[in-house]
Amino acid sequence: MQSLWMLFASFAFSVMAMAVKLASSTYSISEIVMYRGLIGVLMLFTLSRIQGNTLATRLPLAHLWRGVVGVVSLWLWFVAISKLPLATAMTLNYMSPIWLATFLFLAAWWRGKSGFAWGLVAAILASSIGVVMLLRPTFHAELWLGSLMGLGSSVLAALAYLEVKRLGQLGEPEYRVVFYFSLSNVVAGMLGCWLEAPSLAQTFHQHSWKGLAFLLVVEVFATSAQMAMTRAYRLGNALISANLQYTGIVFSSIWGMLVWNDQFGWQAWCGMAIILGSGSIATYYNTRNNMRGTVTAEKTPSDRSPDPIATEL
């Protein structure tokens, strides 16, 4: 029952993605990234002051690397959302567990600590077929860039997760990791706005009530989804929770059809189903490896949640 928190998290992430797509018609991606981080910085700074926590860190370079990888991944994902049908962009981003399993498997195999996982290899190959089936029915010349950005976002999201995991193992609390990631969003977003603007006076778009509402929905639902996902992994079955996250593809498909009248042929639906199934298999390997790690290794406070992929952290 506790894993049902993941259903809400997936729903909330789909609403966030919908708001990003709507906001992209008013604001640049740089502005959306900046505002996404700004609210998080203010919230975490205030909470740390109230709770007496410190934001000082002894791992600035690790936070910098996590910020660079995470910001680029988030930026690419937001661009993909603005250019592609919502369900397509979400599905490509949900390939992160497949890439993560691939990285972990190759690393273990290279060190001679793992046999050849035929099931995982089959899942990786199947996911490639799924991507081709998903993109081909809706692929147009103007969409190729968004598709590549969506795939690139999923690869970088897996790398960002590995860095988040390492920071946790080094003793960094979650609030500090998220704070510096949010701060990275603010800095990168402001820099992007400045580089894109024809003049200093035109650095930012003027606000409207509708635009502010979209930005608020992005932050509120992203934060709510993150909290619900954390609760799902802490209280529920890790494998069930991890697989329930793929319901985000279903939710985003519904939003796409209702808001933008997106239509998908049987090939696209089959591609989504193949990617979903492949992701579930990869998630099994990720969860199994994490569970083994928590049994054989000494646990740190931030290592107790066996989540196989951190979504949009």
Side-chain angles (χ1 to χ4, degrees), residues 48 52-57 173 175-176:
S48 65
N53 296 323
T54 177
L55 293 171
T57 179
Y175 77 88
R176 197 180 296 159

Side-chain angles (χ1 to χ4, degrees), residues 108-309:
W109 189 50
W110 180 260
R111 297 169 185 168
K113 297 181 180 180
S114 175
F116 196 79
W118 288 103
L120 178 57
V121 173
I124 295 170
L125 294 176
S127 68
S128 302
I129 297 173
V131 170
V132 173
M133 294 182 70
L134 171 64
L135 295 182
R136 188 170 183 179
T138 57
F139 192 84
H140 302 287
E142 66 271 17
L143 299 182
W144 71 270
L145 183 60
S147 302
L148 290 178
M149 287 185 169
L151 286 171
S153 171
S154 65
V155 175
L156 292 176
L159 292 176
Y161 168 77
L162 293 176
E163 188 61 26
V164 169
K165 193 74 172 178
R166 189 173 78 91
L167 283 166
Q169 291 170 344
L170 292 173
E172 284 291 82
E174 183 182 82
Y175 77 88
R176 197 180 296 159
V177 175
V178 178
F179 172 82
Y180 283 109
F181 173 54
S182 298
L183 185 61
S184 300
N185 286 336
V186 175
V187 174
M190 291 184 67
L191 181 61
C193 290
W194 179 69
L195 292 175
E196 294 169 358
S199 66
L200 187 61
Q202 297 174 290
T203 302
F204 304 107
H205 287 85
Q206 289 187 344
H207 289 295
S208 66
W209 287 111
K210 184 173 70 172
L212 287 172
F214 291 152
L215 293 176
L216 184 61
V217 169
V218 168
E219 178 56 34
V220 169
F221 278 87
T223 302
S224 300
Q226 192 64 61
M227 294 173 63
M229 185 179 67
T230 302
R231 187 176 183 87
Y233 280 124
R234 188 174 73 248
L235 301 179
N237 180 281
L239 187 58
I240 294 176
S241 297
N243 282 295
L244 282 175
Q245 72 175 322
Y246 288 101
T247 56
I249 297 175
V250 178
F251 291 130
S252 60
S253 300
I254 295 173
W255 291 128
M257 289 186 288
L258 291 177
V259 180
W260 292 278
N261 196 30
D262 291 339
Q263 300 295 328
F264 298 100
W266 67 269
Q267 284 181 295
W269 288 116
C270 286
M272 290 183 193
I274 291 173
I275 293 173
L276 191 153
S278 302
S280 297
I281 295 173
T283 294
Y284 165 75
Y285 280 93
N286 295 336
T287 306
R288 185 185 65 178
N289 291 337
N290 272 349
M291 294 299 286
R292 285 177 177 174
T294 55
V295 172
T296 58
E298 181 180 356
K299 290 192 277 188
T300 64
S302 57
D303 232 4
R304 291 172 184 165
S305 178
D307 56 315
I309 185 68

